[in-house]
Amino acid sequence: MGQIKASTLKEQLPSFSIVLETENLANADLNSLSESLTSLFNQDLSPIFANEILMIDSGDVPPKKLEQLLEKYPWIKVCQASLGTGYYKAKMLGANLATGDIVVYCDSDCIYETNWLRNILIPFTQSDQIQVVAGETTTRGKGPYGTAMALTYIFPQYSRQKTLKRTSQYFLNNVAFRREFLLQYPIPTELPLYRGNCLIHAHTLHSYGYTIWRQPQARATHAPPSGLSHFFWRFLLIGHDYYWQKRLLAKYQQKYYDSLSGFLGKLRVFWDRISKMFTNQPSHIIYFPLAIPIVITSVALIFVGYIITLFESRYLLTVYNQILGEFEAIPGQ
């Protein structure tokens, strides 16, 4: 998209702000941040058209590295948050500081396709009733490990659809909200979850009668767990979050619905991932046999994390925060 065309599109779009945080880098590769910012810089709708690009820094990027990034990307505005500020608090802090009509969320360990920003914003011009637009995020990776993560990590495969669809959930690394709507119905931050607050938030919005729209052409890839320690803890905490999500949704008297519920539902999700994975990237077929031990280990860690949390509901998250040196209070403690 040329600069003139981009300028014309900007005039048709509502004002917007972009928010990302550094909390995800507490246990990830710092190079991911540079790759993420490069993908934003390369958008066919330039990020300079945003009211601001806010980076909520909770001390997870070394000062020298941060200084280098700001020299390369001077359009970023760094907002310092207190050490140990959690992921969801950082995101909501960004919403409170933003001035655009639309708050666009991205993550410091995601890479965005060049038309991502344009595609996630355009639906808001179609109706004032559209309040939330979610893009599609999938896991990137190569070789046996990449194949295993495509099967077992959080993010599904791309749907390959072309038009807006109603959806049951969103990922906070690839979603846009009307700012006033989000401030009226904020993402809960005081939950005993590591990740997954957005699932609870999505259920709450649905219970109020609001629709979340999925834009399949706003696509991103998310880094898989990096290193053995990150892999070990991330899958344990998926089990922790699964326990708490079920409990919280039951507490709110909301139905834990569709493909997320029960063994048969999980099996459907698994087979859906396999079919789409081989369609989207046929090279996974080559690595699939070698990926099976990693898949089994991943699933076993999720199960162990669930069982530990069943008996000691806050143990895993408490220990993990201590390991990272993040001592933000866990609700209920």
Side-chain angles (χ1 to χ4, degrees), residues 42 77 115 143 193 222 272 282 316:
N42 291 331
K77 180 180 179 181
N115 58 5
L193 295 165
H222 191 286
D272 180 70
L316 286 176

Side-chain angles (χ1 to χ4, degrees), residues 132-148:
V132 188
V133 177
E136 291 191 359
T137 302
T138 197
T139 308
R140 65 179 177 270
K142 298 179 180 179
Y145 183 69
T147 298

Side-chain angles (χ1 to χ4, degrees), residues 23-24 26-27 86-88 153-154 191-197 230 233-234 237-238 240-241 244 317 320-321 324 326:
E23 194 272 349
N24 251 4
N27 52 15
Y87 179 79
Y88 296 99
Y153 200 43
I154 301 163
L191 295 178
L193 295 165
Y194 176 65
R195 294 291 186 266
N197 298 41
H230 190 194
W233 276 103
R234 193 63 192 90
L237 288 169
I238 289 174
H240 165 93
D241 287 345
W244 274 108
L317 190 54
Y320 189 61
N321 283 338
L324 294 181
E326 297 183 356

